[in-house]
Every structure is written in structure tokens, then in C-alpha cells.
């Protein structure tokens, strides 16, 4: 036995190597995940700027042949705004009321558990299926034509479960004591919900709604089946085919010439800006709210 | 294999908050050293610097020296993993791996060091469980989950798990505070046995417990809220509990504290 | 709202009895319950109306819908089947999952256990941004950038791994099942990573400390005390991702070569999916053609429903401390 016997046992090289190896893999995974994000954003900005001009934002594609330069996405931007607004008006009340039912009235009931389960399942419905449903039901069976409103119906099916989930989460954050204090004053439950619970959860719900809007604003497939495609400005969402920004990108990128592809990139840039703006505003609202929560 | 620990001028931080300051002490091998002091004075923090578990917390860091025999634990090139292998730890709340059987819980540390023959493993598991006074209670259900044991049994399982890797030092942070009196007694008996093989450091809020199990006692205190905790004095347990040299120690022990 | 005025100051005097006689309570409760039931009704309606519009087309079909590979529903003698489309959907989604899952789990571990704490939040947000990019933008990026780019890797795989049936073939193409799978993998990565990250963060800290105190390295700690807890969550995240991949339409509509072959050769100029076929075929579809597309959508609906329900049930069965 030597005097310099090691006090600390050595960790085997195998274990060390494995540990370092996994660490490397994990960093690599993160790098791999970020590369496409950078690539997509970079190409969208680089290629999108070529046509991201005033003409693009203020003109439609009316009278512009595929090979022509010029033309814009005004009709598509307008359509998207209208469609998303209508979808919001439809899905937020339904989603919010459902969330209220789940949190305030349904606790432990079988119906609530069923609804909750299917809300989760509903988040997984492919958007193209939502479009097909509106196509089958609204357009083919009820006989309404293609319209922005039909597209909004399809979008609202995609929005509802997201709104329910985020609103539910926010309502659950409202402390029970707040409700009980209100009940103790003899305030009926529904008025407690409307006057106390909803205002407390308000900013959180708004954040959730904005994220839901951001999500459906980029949906293309449901619009393709319900709004159809037009090159002209159609301000009326209830009559006749409209355009939507995602649809516009899809339409332009399918045309095999550079002027159309440029327009597609500019459309993509516009869409990403809109979506990112919505995300950012939602984040700012959420951040704004957080000091209040700590209070 | 029990070893001596020497601490010199140790400070520990959580981010910019200094939790303990200027701690120097010698912890003797084959003995039980108890840390006592009011809540928040940094006993746990100090204990966790002894096996480099402190730095696991984001932003936490340590300055000063800790020597295990002649090895600087915070020296350059020292792997915290091998420090923790040598200085084992038992936590306040029993934390057996819920997805593992009783056997696998005890074998977990050994298995980390590569392939071990089953027969060898069985030997060590039995020895450790016997060492933790748990063997007779669990020998017929080694393949059952460890989470199915009572709180006291779980804590002894955690002790068995810690001693299975034959560490030199065993750190215990309030190991009985979540247990009933009978289980507490069982653990105290166990500590008395374990000190034949290990250097034992135990944090406790229970004065009687400190008096019963420990050979040496260290009293920590903090000057005020937000100030770092300090070692007030350290002496033989009998001396600390009868004739402490510091007034603060006496006040604390006799309950005149605060 | 008229009733609300009368009971507005329903203070302590009126007490509990007020709530029982309040005329708003009933309607409000009815509204909320009704909204929930409406959601269930919509789910049911989706199934019902897809079936209703699919049946006439299926009756016109001159071939077996489940075994036929071709998709020619627009002629005088409609002949269409789901076989090739369903196969293409499955193989491209599975391939996407195969690529995305390890990376997503790595990303989740990175955010939860490896990244510097201060950066973890921001880096996690970056990964979430991947999910915020609309699918049509991935489609554009895929067609313009990835399709030409992939010919390199495809040639490499074909040259050196051609002995694996997946990569066999005489020639490789940019528009292929593989390229579509890469796009799908990128798109499902964030959701798998986000859910996995949540379950990894929920692993009890006491167990992590227990393993570290035993002398485990970081990886051993993760293997002992994080992964066992995360397993169910990761499996369910993977299935949710699979469901997403199968339903993704626009991003891959112009990447699939849109043929109706059943082939394992993912580098060849073959491949299609149910969703992509709907997007591509809708423009020229006749009445029967639309019905046929609706029938294919019904199949997609049923498959994704099954996958999603399975995923939810896995989590429900093994939820830890109220994790959703
Ligand atoms: N994870 C942490 N992050 C930041 N500060 C911490 C952390 N853990 C402990 N502290 C601070 O360090 C100081 C010492 O805490 P420590 O837990 O060591 O005290 P203690 O003596 O063990 O108390 P108790 O007897 O209650 O267990 C306290 O001021 C505490 O707030
Ligand atoms: Mg403590």
C-alpha cells in the first residue's frame, strides 16, 4: 500500500465518454432543430423582400397574368383578416363558454370528462378534414357557395379546441378564495363568474385567443376547399370566392415562373410578419399581466 | 475506510446571496458529527458543499477549501461525480426510485460502475440491507417496488442504497424529520452502528437526537435576516450540551433562543 | 340582462336564497353546457357529414375502395381507392416520426437539463417558433429550397445505403417521399419537443438529487430519474406528432410526386398522401371526384382520430400529479 493511495475513486473512462457523448448529442439535436428555422426565416426574408413593396400590399392580382411582374396580395390580406375575424367571433364565445362549463359547472361530471377528452382529440383533427367537413355540410349539402364565411367556419373548428384549452387553463388559475368570497356575499354563481372570475382571467384568455388566431391565420388547406381562389378583391365574405394570404402563397408557388414565385415569397414574408406580430403581442400581454399575478 | 474532512474558510453562495461564510472545521473519521442551529442558518447548504451537491443548483457556487484526507475536493481536475461516490448522502424525505424494485434501488449505485456479477450484487445488497437494519423486513420481497415500504423503511432503504457503494462519509440531512418516533429510533440505532465504518455527519433540529447520536456537535447561527450563516462553535457533544463556551449556543440549546 | 338589474345588489341580506331564485343562473348554465355539447355535436357532425357525402361517390366506384391504388374518380367510370394514398401517408409520417423523435427528445433534454438556465427559456422559445411558421411557408421553402437540396443527401443514401430497400433504386429525385418526410419531421418536431420538455421538467427533483448523490453522471442521472418518468409522455407526444404528420397537407402537397404507386423506395419519384391528394385533386374534381376526396378524408379522419385518442389515453392512464 503506497502512501499516495487515491482518496477518490476514478470514474471509468467509459462512463465519462458516454456522458460527454450524450451531452454532445443533445447539443447537436438542438442545433439540428434550429437549422431549419434559420433557413426558413432567412430565405423568407431574403426572397420576400424583392416584392415586399407598396404595390404588393395595395393591389390585387386582377388582370395580372402569371408571367407578368407586379400584382399584389391586397385581396388575400383582406380576405385573411375577414376570415380570421369571423372565425374568432364564432369560436371565442363557444370556446369560452365551454371552458366555463368545464371549470365551473362540470367538475367530475361524466359529460365534462367526455367534452374534455374530445376537445383534446379535436386539437388533432387535420385541418384539411375540417375543410372537407364544411365543404360537405355547408357547401354541398346546404348549398351555400364558396365564400370567406365558409372558410371562417372551417377555421373556427380548428380554433375552438385551442381557445377552450387556454381559457380553461386561465380560469383554473383564478384562486378559489376569490369565488368563495363572492359567494359569501350572496352573489349568484353565474354573476360571480361574469363579474369576478372572467375579469381576473381576462388578459390570460386574450393571450390564448391571440395565439389561437396566429395558429389559424396560416391555415391553407381548409381555405382551399371552402373559400376557393380568386384574383380579384372581394370585400364581401358572405358571397363568392375570396382569397386568403396562405392560399395566395400556395396559388403563386404552384406557378412555374419566377414572378409568381417572388410573389409567393413576399406573401410568405407578409404572413410570417402577421403571425409573429400576433405571437409577440400575445407574449407582451402575458408578460404585462405577470406582475399583476404576483400581486 | 472512514476518512477525515477538513474545511477551511468556506463560503457558499446562491447566485449573489451568500448563504454561509467563513466556515472552518475538522470532522473526525469513525464518529458522528451533528449540525444544529436555527432554520435558515445554512446547515443544509454547508452539508451539501461537502459532497459538491451544492453546485447542482443553478447559480450556486463555493469558495474555500475542503480536504478529504489529503485530497482537495474542489481542486482542479476533481470530478464531482467521484466526490459524490465517496461522500454519500441521505435526504430529509425518503426518495427511493419509485420505478425500481427494492433490490434495484440498493443496487443502483453499484450498477453505475459497469457490469457487476449477479452473485456479487446479491452479496452487497444483502450486506447493505443488513447494515441498514432492513434485511429481515424485506428479504422476502426484494423484487417489489421500494415505494411500497413505510416511510421509516424507505428511509432505511435510502441509507442502504447510500452505503452499498461503500462511501467514506455519509451525510444525513434531517433524516428522521419525516418519520414517526419508532422509525426514528431505528435510524438512530443504525447511525450508532454505522459510525464504526463511516464518517457520519447529521443535520438535526432535535436536540435530544443530537445529544443521543453524536460525538461532536457544531452549532450554526446567523447574525440576522439576509446575513450569511456562520459556525458559532464546535465541540464534543457532551461539552456543547452542558457547558458551551458561547452564550448563543446555550440560549439555543435551552430554548431561550430568539 | 333585464333580470340582472334587479339582483345586482344582491348583498348579504338576500343571501343564498338569492342565488337559487336568480333568473340568470339557469340560462347561463344552460349556455355553458350547451357550448360544450355543441363541441361534441361538431365532432359527431364531422363524421356524419363526411360519411353522407362519401357514400354516393363510393357507390359510383367501379373498384374496391380499400384495395385500389389508382385515383381516377372524375371520368365516366370512376375508379379510385385509398390503398396507395394510405400507404404513402403512413410511410411518410412514420419516417418523419423516426427522424423527428430522437431530435425532439434531445431538444427537450437540452432545454430541461443541459442548456444554461438563463438561456433555457429563450432557446425553448426558439424551438416553439418552429411551430409558429405556417405550413404553407414550409411548403414554399420545401419546394424551392429543400427539393433541390435533397438530391445531394439522396444520392449519398442511394450510393452507400442502396442495399437497404428504402434507399434502393436506379435514380434519385428531389421530389420524393424522403423530402416530404423531412418537411413533416421539421413540422412535428416542436410539438414533440414541447410535450417531452414538460414531462422531463416534471421529473421529481428529489430523485435527480438521489441519483447524483449516488455518484451518477448527468446522463446516468437522466437515465435513472428523468427518463422513467418521461416515457409515457414521450410516447404520447410521439403519437400526437404522428397524427399531425398524417394530416399535414399544404406543406407536402407540392413535394410528393403525386403518383399512385405503393413503394418502399423513398428516394424514387413516387409517393403521395391522402391529404396532399385532396389539395391537389380538389380543383379539377367533379361531383363524384369531390365525394371520393371526402371519402379519403374520412379515412384520414378515422386514422388520426384513433392515433390521437390512443395518445390521450396513454397520458390519462399515467398522469403524474395532474399533468395535462
Ligand atoms: N435553492 C436555493 N436557492 C436560493 N437560496 C437558497 C436555496 N436554498 C437555501 N437558500 C438560502 O440559503 C440560506 C440557508 O438555507 P439552508 O437550507 O442551508 O438552511 P438550513 O439551516 O438547512 O435550514 P433548515 O433548518 O430550515 O433546513 C437560507 O437563507 C435560504 O433562503
Ligand atoms: Mg435544511
Amino acid at each position: 500500500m503506497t502512501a499516495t493511495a487515491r482518496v477518490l475513486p476514478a470514474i471509468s473512462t467509459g462512463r465519462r465518454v458516454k456522458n460527454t457523448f450524450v451531452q454532445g448529442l443533445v447539443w447537436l439535436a438542438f442545433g439540428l432543430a434550429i437549422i431549419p428555422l434559420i433557413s426558413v426565416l432567412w430565405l423568407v426574408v431574403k426572397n420576400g423582400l424583392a416584392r415586399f413593396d407598396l404595390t404588393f400590399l395595395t393591389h390585387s392580382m386582377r388582370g395580372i397574368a402569371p408571367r407578368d411582374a407586379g400584382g399584389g396580395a391586397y385581396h388575400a390580406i383582406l380576405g385573411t383578416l375577414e376570415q380570421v375575424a369571423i372565425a374568432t367571433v364564432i369560436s371565442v364565445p363557444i370556446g369560452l363558454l365551454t371552458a366555463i362549463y368545464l371549470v365551473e359547472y362540470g367538475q367530475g361530471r361524466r359529460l365534462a370528462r367526455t367534452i374534455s377528452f374530445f376537445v383534446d382529440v379535436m386539437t388533432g383533427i387535420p385541418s384539411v378534414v375540417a375543410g372537407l367537413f364544411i365543404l360537405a355540410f355547408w357547401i354541398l349539402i346546404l348549398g351555400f357557395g364558396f365564400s370567406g364565411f365558409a372558410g371562417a367556419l372551417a377555421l373556427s373548428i380548428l380554433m375552438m379546441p385551442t381557445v377552450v384549452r387556454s381559457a380553461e387553463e386561465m380560469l383554473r388559475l383564478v384562486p378559489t378564495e376569490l369565488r368563495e368570497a363572492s359567494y359569501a356575499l350572496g352573489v349568484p354563481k353565474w354573476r360571480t363568474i361574469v363579474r369576478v372570475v372572467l375579469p381576473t382571467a381576462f388578459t390570460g384568455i386574450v393571450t390564448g385567443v391571440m395565439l389561437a388566431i396566429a395558429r389559424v391565420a396560416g391555415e391553407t388547406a381548409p381555405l382551399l376547399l371552402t373559400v376557393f381562389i380568386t384574383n380579384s378583391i372581394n370585400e364581401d365574405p358572405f358571397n363568392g370566392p375570396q382569397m386568403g394570404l396562405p392560399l395566395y402563397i400556395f396559388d403563386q408557388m404552384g406557378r412555374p415562373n419566377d414572378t409568381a414565385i417572388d410573389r409567393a415569397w413576399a406573401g410568405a414574408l407578409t404572413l410570417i410578419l402577421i403571425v409573429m406580430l400576433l405571437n409577440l403581442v400575445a407574449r407582451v400581454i402575458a408578460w404585462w399581466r405577470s406582475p399583476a399575478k404576483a400581486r | 475506510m472512514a476518512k477525515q474532512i477538513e474545511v477551511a474558510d468556506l463560503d457558499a453562495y446562491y447566485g449573489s446571496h451568500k448563504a454561509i461564510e467563513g466556515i472552518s472545521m475538522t470532522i473526525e473519521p469513525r464518529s458522528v458529527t451533528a449540525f444544529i442551529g436555527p432554520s435558515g442558518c445554512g446547515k443544509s447548504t454547508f452539508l451539501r458543499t461537502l459532497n459538491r451537491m451544492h453546485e447542482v443548483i443553478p447559480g450556486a457556487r463555493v469558495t474555500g477549501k475542503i480536504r478529504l484526507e489529503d485530497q482537495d475536493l474542489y481542486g482542479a481536475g476533481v470530478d464531482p461525480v467521484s466526490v459524490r461516490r465517496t461522500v454519500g448522502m441521505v435526504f430529509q424525505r425518503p426518495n427511493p426510485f419509485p420505478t425500481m424494485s427494492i433490490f434495484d434501488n440498493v443496487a443502483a449505485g453499484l450498477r453505475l460502475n459497469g457490469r457487476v456479477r449477479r452473485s456479487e450484487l446479491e452479496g452487497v445488497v444483502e450486506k447493505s440491507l443488513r447494515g441498514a437494519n432492513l434485511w429481515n423486513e424485506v428479504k422476502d420481497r426484494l423484487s417489489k417496488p421500494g415505494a411500497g415500504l413505510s416511510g421509516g423503511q424507505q428511509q432505511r432503504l435510502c441509507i442502504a442504497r447510500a452505503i452499498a457503494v461503500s462511501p467514506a462519509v455519509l451525510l444525513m440531512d434531517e433524516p428522521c424529520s419525516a418519520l414517526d418516533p419508532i422509525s426514528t429510533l431505528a435510524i438512530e440505532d443504525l447511525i450508532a452502528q454505522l459510525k464504526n465504518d463511516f464518517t457520519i455527519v447529521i443535520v438535526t433540529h432535535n436536540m435530544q437526537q443530537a445529544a443521543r447520536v453524536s460525538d461532536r456537535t457544531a452549532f450554526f447561527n446567523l447574525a440576522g435576516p439576509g446575513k450569511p450563516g456562520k459556525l458559532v462553535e464546535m465541540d464534543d457533544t457532551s461539552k456543547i450540551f452542558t457547558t458551551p463556551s458561547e452564550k448563543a449556543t446555550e440560549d439555543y440549546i435551552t430554548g431561550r433562543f430568539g | 340582462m333585464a333580470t340582472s338589474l334587479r339582483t345586482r345588489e344582491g348583498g348579504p341580506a338576500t343571501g343564498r336564497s338569492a342565488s337559487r331564485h336568480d333568473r340568470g343562473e339557469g340560462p347561463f348554465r344552460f349556455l355553458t353546457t350547451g357550448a360544450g355539447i355543441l363541441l361534441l355535436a361538431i365532432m359527431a357532425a364531422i363524421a356524419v357529414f363526411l360519411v353522407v357525402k362519401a357514400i354516393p361517390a363510393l357507390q359510383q366506384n367501379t373498384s374496391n375502395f380499400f384495395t385500389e391504388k389508382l385515383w381516377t374518380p372524375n371520368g365516366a367510370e370512376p375508379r379510385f381507392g385509398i390503398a396507395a394514398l394510405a400507404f404513402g401517408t403512413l410511410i411518410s409520417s412514420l419516417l418523419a416520426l423516426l427522424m423527428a423523435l430522437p431530435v425532439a427528445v434531445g431538444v427537450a433534454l437540452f432545454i430541461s437539463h443541459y442548456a444554461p438556465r438563463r438561456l433555457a427559456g429563450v432557446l425553448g422559445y426558439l424551438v416553439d417558433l418552429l411551430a409558429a411558421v405556417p405550413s404553407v411557408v414550409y411548403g414554399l421553402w420545401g419546394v424551392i429550397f429543400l427539393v433541390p437540396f435533397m438530391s445531394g443527401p439522396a444520392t449519398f443514401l442511394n450510393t452507400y445505403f442502396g442495399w437497404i430497400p428504402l434507399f434502393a433504386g436506379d435514380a434519385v429525385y428531389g421530389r420524393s417521399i424522403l423530402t416530404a418526410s423531412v418537411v413533416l419531421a421539421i413540422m412535428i418536431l416542436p410539438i414533440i419537443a414541447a410535450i417531452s420538455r414538460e414531462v422531463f421538467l416534471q421529473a421529481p427533483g428529489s430523485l435527480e438529487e438521489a441519483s447524483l448523490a449516488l455518484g451518477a453522471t448527468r446522463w446516468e442521472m437522466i437515465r435513472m430519474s428523468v427518463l422513467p418518468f418521461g416515457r409515457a409522455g414521450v410516447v404520447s407526444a410521439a403519437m400526437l406528432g404522428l397524427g399531425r404528420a398524417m394530416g399535414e397537407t399544404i406543406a407536402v402537397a407540392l413535394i410528393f410526386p403525386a403518383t399512385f404507386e405503393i413503394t418502399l423506395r423513398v428516394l424514387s419519384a413516387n409517393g403521395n398522401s391522402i391529404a396532399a391528394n385532396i389539395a391537389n385533386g380538389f380543383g379539377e374534381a367533379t361531383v363524384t371526384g369531390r365525394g371520393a376526396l371526402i371519402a379519403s378524408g374520412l379515412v384520414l379522419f378515422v386514422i388520426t382520430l384513433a392515433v390521437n385518442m390512443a395518445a390521450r389515453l396513454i397520458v390519462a392512464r399515467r398522469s403524474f400529479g395532474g399533468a395535462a
Side-chain angles (χ1 to χ4, degrees), chain A residues 42-63:
Chain A
W42 165 244
L43 287 178
V44 165
V45 171
K46 190 183 103 182
N47 297 329
L49 282 177
R51 273 303 326 273
F52 190 68
D53 48 32
L54 212 59
T55 315
F56 184 78
L57 294 175
T58 56
H59 286 68
S60 73
M61 287 298 291
R62 184 157 189 182

Side-chain angles (χ1 to χ4, degrees), chain B residues 13-15 17-20 37-48 54 57-58 60 92 173-174 203-205 220 222 226-227 229:
Chain B
Y13 300 79
Y14 293 100
H17 170 63
K18 193 188 236 183
I20 51 175
S39 199
C41 67
K43 305 178 296 291
S44 301
T45 305
F46 178 53
L47 194 75
R48 290 165 60 94
H54 178 66
I57 295 164
Q92 184 168 356
D173 193 351
E174 303 184 41
V203 174
T204 176
H205 276 288
F220 294 78
L222 69 181
K227 300 250 174 62

Side-chain angles (χ1 to χ4, degrees), chain B residues 32 47 90-95 151-156 158-159 171-192 194 200-210 212-213:
Chain B
V32 178
L47 194 75
V90 175
F91 297 83
Q92 184 168 356
R93 301 211 149 266
N95 53 3
Q153 289 173 325
Q154 285 187 24
Q155 193 62 301
R156 278 179 282 151
C158 292
I159 294 176
L171 310 175
M172 301 183 170
D173 193 351
E174 303 184 41
C176 304
S177 66
L179 305 182
D180 65 286
I182 307 264
S183 308
T184 301
L185 222 58
I187 305 256
E188 287 182 9
D189 287 346
L190 177 56
I191 292 173
L194 290 174
I200 293 181
V201 185
I202 176 172
V203 174
T204 176
H205 276 288
N206 182 333
M207 294 305 123
Q208 286 80 26
Q209 185 171 65
R212 278 193 301 264
V213 302

Side-chain angles (χ1 to χ4, degrees), chain C residues 6-49:
Chain C
R6 217 178 303 153
T7 47
R8 168 181 280 170
E9 311 301 345
T14 35
R16 291 256 160 221
S17 61
S19 60
R20 226 172 293 140
H21 297 300
D22 190 287
R23 288 212 257 143
E25 184 68 25
F28 186 73
R29 203 187 167 114
F30 177 79
L31 265 181
T32 62
T33 318
I37 292 174
L38 180 64
L39 278 184
L40 291 183
I42 291 175
M43 283 294 287
I46 292 176
V48 169
F49 286 107

Side-chain angles (χ1 to χ4, degrees), chain B residues 51 83 92 101 145 205 208 217 223:
Chain B
N51 68 341
V83 173
Q92 184 168 356
S101 68
H205 276 288
Q208 286 80 26
T217 298

Side-chain angles (χ1 to χ4, degrees), chain B residues 26-65:
Chain B
T26 304
I27 296 170
E28 297 299 338
R30 284 189 196 76
S31 72
V32 178
T33 303
F35 291 173
I36 60 172
S39 199
C41 67
K43 305 178 296 291
S44 301
T45 305
F46 178 53
L47 194 75
R48 290 165 60 94
T49 62
L50 296 178
N51 68 341
R52 298 190 62 169
M53 281 295 285
H54 178 66
E55 65 206 53
V56 168
I57 295 164
R61 64 200 169 82
V62 172
T63 63
K65 265 200 164 33

Side-chain angles (χ1 to χ4, degrees), chain A residues 27-103:
Chain A
W27 279 81
L28 180 72
F30 180 74
L32 273 179
I34 288 303
I35 288 173
L37 179 68
I38 294 173
S39 168
V40 168
L41 292 183
W42 165 244
L43 287 178
V44 165
V45 171
K46 190 183 103 182
N47 297 329
L49 282 177
R51 273 303 326 273
F52 190 68
D53 48 32
L54 212 59
T55 315
F56 184 78
L57 294 175
T58 56
H59 286 68
S60 73
M61 287 298 291
R62 184 157 189 182
I64 310 269
R67 288 174 196 288
D68 291 352
Y74 174 74
H75 59 312
I77 298 172
L78 182 77
T80 285
L81 294 182
E82 287 182 356
Q83 290 147 22
V84 168
I86 296 173
T88 308
V89 168
I90 296 173
S91 57
V92 168
I94 298 178
L96 189 54
L97 285 171
T98 305
I100 292 175
Y101 171 73
L102 290 177
V103 175

